Amino acid sequence: MLKDPVVSPPAAGVTGVAFGDNERLAAQKATRERPSPASPPAVRKAPVRYARKQYWNEPTMTWWEKAYLPEVLRGLAITTGIFLRNMGKWLTGRKGAVTTYYPEEKRVDFAPRNRGKHILTQRPDGSPQCIACNMCATVCPAKVIEIEAGFDPNDPAHPKYPVRFEIDYSRCVFCGMCVEACPEDAIRMQEDVPDLVSDNRYEMWMTMDEMLTWRPQQDVAKPYPPKPVPLTLGESVKRGRGQ
Ligand code: SF4
Ligand code: SF4
């Protein structure tokens, strides 16, 4: 039967270190504590000063502009001139002031590419083209679009459709990202702005009905069927809709 090897206790001061290392460590410590007189004293380095970043659009000013005051006075003169000109037009009943009395007056000269009121486009049968995919709501940076989806098993081509589609105009930033994200061209923005005046933010929600009443017959890009002709009483009864 093999006996366990006898392990002798380490000598004092040699705990965990191989024999002979103790002297070497003591010599290293002594060297560290006594710096050699030849080594130069430690020099504290000055903090690195980085050059200020130059921007491509930094203005270069003349000495006249750097003087500051002349330019301030020039700006005040421009503002005062425009104010007096508009005041004169207003006093003499002439048009041309650059402001409008919103909401009594509404501008109509919006640029054709102005991003204003949202509309939901429709299929020729009048149903919304939206497939309730939620892409617009997902991409919206202000998170103001709410969509509730419905399911129509009788329309295999478009089984999903929006039951509720609302936009909170009190928080919409009119960025147009919802229009960009839509895979169906189901949402667009018209140039004129919605009637946003309200003292209640909950009245600034635009509903799906309002977004669908945008006169789709004006969309020349789409063929729309002629207006349906009302049924006569006989036809109505024949189709089971009488009474
Ligand atoms: S225009 Fe911008 S903020 Fe407004 S609903 Fe569309 S994505 Fe959201
Ligand atoms: S409007 Fe377009 S992006 Fe938004 S849910 Fe409808 S189909 Fe999707």
Side-chain angles (χ1 to χ4, degrees):
M1 188 175 171
L2 287 172
K3 282 187 178 178
D4 287 341
V6 178
V7 181
S8 52
V14 194
T15 317
V17 183
F19 180 74
D21 281 358
N22 232 18
E23 289 78 4
R24 188 164 48 81
L25 288 173
Q28 281 177 358
K29 195 178 169 194
T31 315
R32 274 204 304 274
E33 282 171 358
R34 276 186 279 109
S36 120
S39 62
V43 179
R44 180 175 286 184
K45 283 188 181 172
V48 180
R49 290 194 180 278
Y50 294 100
R52 196 175 67 79
K53 191 172 174 181
Q54 297 286 318
Y55 293 95
W56 62 271
N57 58 350
E58 266 189 23
T60 50
M61 290 194 282
T62 62
W63 66 268
W64 177 260
E65 288 164 337
K66 283 181 189 165
Y68 183 68
L69 208 53
E71 284 299 293
V72 170
L73 294 176
R74 193 168 71 87
L76 282 174
I78 292 172
T79 311
T80 312
I82 291 174
F83 169 73
L84 291 176
R85 201 176 63 206
N86 287 340
M87 175 73 87
K89 283 180 180 169
W90 180 71
L91 286 175
T92 53
R94 283 179 296 155
K95 287 196 173 231
V98 290
T99 54
T100 52
Y101 294 100
Y102 187 80
E104 291 83 11
E105 286 177 18
K106 293 213 171 79
R107 289 182 64 164
V108 287
D109 56 338
F110 293 109
R113 293 192 180 185
N114 185 50
R115 290 194 289 250
K117 178 178 178 271
H118 290 80
I119 54 168
L120 287 176
T121 59
Q122 288 152 278
R123 300 197 183 95
D125 64 358
S127 61
Q129 198 151 296
C130 173
I131 52 170
C133 67
N134 259 302
M135 288 276 278
C136 52
T138 306
V139 81
C140 173
K143 303 288 172 225
V144 297
I145 303 180
E146 284 192 11
I147 302 167
E148 206 176 303
F151 184 74
D152 182 5
N154 298 320
D155 186 357
H158 317 100
K160 257 179 99 180
Y161 67 96
V163 176
R164 188 172 67 90
F165 193 117
E166 292 178 0
I167 296 181
D168 180 3
Y169 271 112
S170 69
R171 291 187 294 140
C172 171
V173 292
F174 297 92
C175 62
M177 288 184 64
C178 49
V179 179
E180 297 292 325
C182 181
E184 294 286 319
D185 182 29
I187 187 165
R188 296 184 196 170
M189 290 173 91
Q190 283 182 314
E191 65 264 32
D192 56 327
V193 297
D195 200 7
L196 290 173
V197 185
S198 174
D199 56 3
N200 182 352
R201 67 172 52 190
Y202 295 106
E203 285 172 10
M204 297 176 85
W205 282 80
M206 183 164 286
T207 61
M208 189 163 83
D209 288 346
E210 287 170 273
M211 278 184 265
L212 286 170
T213 54
W214 59 282
R215 302 183 301 278
Q217 67 273 18
Q218 290 189 355
D219 185 356
V220 290
K222 290 181 181 220
Y224 286 92
K227 253 180 128 176
V229 182
L231 297 176
T232 61
L233 181 61
E235 287 168 330
S236 185
V237 169
K238 227 190 289 176
R239 293 188 190 187
R241 294 180 191 169
Q243 309 305 314

